[in-house]
Amino acid sequence: MRLSLERRLFVSAALLAVVAGVVPATAATAAPVTPPAPAEPAQQATPDMEALTKALQNTLDAGAPGALARYTGPDGVKSKTLGVQDTAYGTPMDVQSRFRIGSVSKTFSSVVLLQLVNEGRVDLDTPVNHYLPGLLPDDRITVRHLMTHRSGLSDYTNAMFENTVPGFEAVRNKVFSYQDLVTLSLAEPRTTEPGVSYKYSNTNFVVVGMIIEKVTGKPVEKEYDRRIIKPLKLRNTSYVHPSTAIRGEHAHGYLHPDEDGQPLVDSTEQTVSWAQTAGAVISNAADLNTFMSGLAGGKLLPARMLDLMTTMTPTDATNTRFYGLGLRRYDLSCGTQVFGHTGTVQGFYTYAFATRDGKRSLSAMANTSNDGAANTALGGTLEAAFCGKPTTAPGNTNAKARSLTSNQTPAPVLAPAERDLPERR
């Protein structure tokens, strides 16, 4: 099983190697444009729980101690867990447990900022320095550039986690200010001119957090709570920076060292101060389902803001992955589009996605990181949940097609997972 996964990773990696980066805009002020995309299938698929279980098992085979997935849709709630959430005691993974959601936090930050845009308090195309005078060395960088990862600001985590475990241990209990993190970024060369091309950087959403606090005059956790957590009644979601503990029932996170054969590092307790509004939210699978479905269903933003949020640009060479304003879009093999975000924080991988109408959603988590094969395998839960079992096209009388069962149908080739943090494995 592991061999099959590695072969799929090799094929996908070779494809991505053909084209480095993504298609750039032709001018510094060019806006992202959503390419034509496949339409949502007329009949929505029922989740393929066998394939979803297989995706979770592939995740464990690749090195994760445990994994979970929770789907919500017209046919109800379906969930599956495998492995353990605490290796010391062998505690089985629990679908209700809390965990660190990493860069899914960026979508929380984006919702708050877009609410401020809707209120007329922030303008997407106004320079960041208008709101935070003197913060950045380039007045051309706008709020929109931050939210679409087109600012050119270097990602400070590249140097911070050049050596995965030592880098983590150096910041595990450290408390940074927003300014500290921006200063680390500005010490590195810029990656692109503002607006020219997509280049993922955690720095962008640190600055988003600064704008939220400057405009509202309140700590960002208060704005998360008032604008998202309370309206959606998210009982297991919190932003507790810089507290190190995860309250209540929770999964432990396990970080893979860069060197093969070394023991996993329990990375559960940390300040996550190195990420803050780019990645420090805690939640659970049910709350993430509610959040993504609520967002897509119009409970947090009006239609025009959602349209802005879902205006996308490609992020890689597969032409199946896109980024809008703090939101990813994946185009699955069956033609279904799903919107949400991936998340990586030391010890946890997360996928949280929903269909554009918000009627179907999936949350998946594996309690490991610095293990790209496990992250890619976990992404297979999206295909299983939203595409369901493969079927033969109506009217196809080909004998081979008639005899092909779902067990014999090859699984979709999974492109390597997108990286929200630098990883060495």
Side-chain angles (χ1 to χ4, degrees), residues 21-25 147-151 191-192 195-201 313-316 322-324 328 341 418-420:
V22 298
V23 180
M147 299 181 72
T148 57
H149 291 295
R150 301 168 75 87
S151 69
T191 59
T192 183
V196 170
S197 62
Y198 170 91
K199 189 69 173 179
Y200 192 92
S201 174
T313 190
T315 62
D316 64 18
F322 305 85
Y323 205 92
R328 295 193 187 279
H341 216 290
E418 293 183 286
R419 294 185 176 186
D420 298 319

Side-chain angles (χ1 to χ4, degrees), residues 61-307:
D61 292 344
L68 63 82
R70 185 181 188 276
Y71 166 89
T72 63
D75 47 350
V77 177
K78 300 178 186 295
S79 64
K80 183 67 179 179
T81 63
L82 290 179
V84 299
Q85 66 180 26
D86 185 339
T87 61
Y89 295 96
T91 311
M93 182 62 74
D94 187 337
V95 75
Q96 299 184 53
S97 290
R98 296 182 177 97
F99 49 89
R100 300 191 185 280
I101 67 173
S103 288
V104 181
S105 307
K106 292 179 172 65
T107 305
F108 280 74
S109 299
S110 293
V111 168
V112 173
L113 193 56
L114 286 173
Q115 288 182 0
L116 295 173
V117 171
N118 189 58
E119 294 164 9
R121 301 168 71 182
V122 175
D123 180 81
L124 289 173
D125 295 313
T126 293
V128 171
N129 283 346
H130 172 78
Y131 302 102
L132 302 166
L135 178 71
L136 303 179
D138 192 332
D139 287 336
R140 295 175 299 167
I141 299 174
T142 67
V143 177
R144 189 190 301 271
H145 292 151
L146 298 176
M147 299 181 72
T148 57
H149 291 295
R150 301 168 75 87
S151 69
L153 294 173
S154 175
D155 190 341
Y156 59 87
T157 66
N158 290 330
M160 184 178 286
F161 302 124
E162 183 176 2
N163 297 299
T164 301
V165 172
F168 166 66
E169 295 293 0
V171 301
R172 180 198 281 261
N173 295 306
K174 192 167 183 178
V175 177
F176 293 92
S177 68
Y178 287 127
Q179 183 63 64
D180 290 337
L181 300 177
V182 173
T183 299
L184 289 174
S185 171
L186 296 181
E188 302 292 328
R190 300 264 288 283
T191 59
T192 183
E193 291 295 304
V196 170
S197 62
Y198 170 91
K199 189 69 173 179
Y200 192 92
S201 174
N202 286 284
T203 308
N204 292 320
F205 279 81
V206 168
V207 180
V208 165
M210 296 178 76
I211 294 173
I212 291 171
E213 294 199 349
K214 181 65 177 291
V215 171
T216 64
K218 298 176 182 177
V220 73
E221 61 265 31
K222 298 293 185 184
E223 295 302 306
Y224 285 158
D225 191 60
R226 182 171 73 89
R227 295 172 178 270
I228 300 174
I229 293 173
K230 284 183 177 177
L232 294 182
K233 298 179 180 178
L234 305 181
R235 296 180 176 86
N236 291 286
T237 301
S238 58
Y239 180 85
V240 295
H241 170 264
S243 175
T244 61
I246 303 177
R247 295 190 298 269
E249 183 70 16
H250 63 273
H252 283 241
Y254 298 95
L255 177 62
H256 276 269
D258 295 338
E259 304 79 17
D260 290 337
Q262 296 300 306
L264 298 176
V265 174
D266 189 325
S267 52
T268 310
E269 294 199 355
Q270 60 160 310
T271 63
V272 200
S273 191
W274 60 264
Q276 300 190 48
T277 46
V281 173
I282 294 166
S283 192
N284 75 350
D287 275 10
L288 289 180
N289 286 142
T290 300
F291 172 60
M292 287 302 177
S293 289
L295 173 58
K299 293 183 179 180
L300 295 173
L301 294 171
R304 72 183 189 94
M305 288 292 109
L306 276 176
D307 288 344

Side-chain angles (χ1 to χ4, degrees), residues 37-45 334-338 355-357 360 386:
E40 179 78 6
Q43 184 174 0
Q44 295 182 347
C334 59
T336 295
Q337 295 179 346
V338 291
T355 50
R356 181 61 178 82
D357 59 9
R360 296 188 289 155
F386 292 109

Side-chain angles (χ1 to χ4, degrees), residues 348-368:
F348 298 98
Y349 289 130
T350 302
Y351 286 76
F353 284 82
T355 50
R356 181 61 178 82
D357 59 9
K359 292 181 179 179
R360 296 188 289 155
S361 66
L362 177 84
S363 301
M365 181 274 285
N367 58 340
T368 197

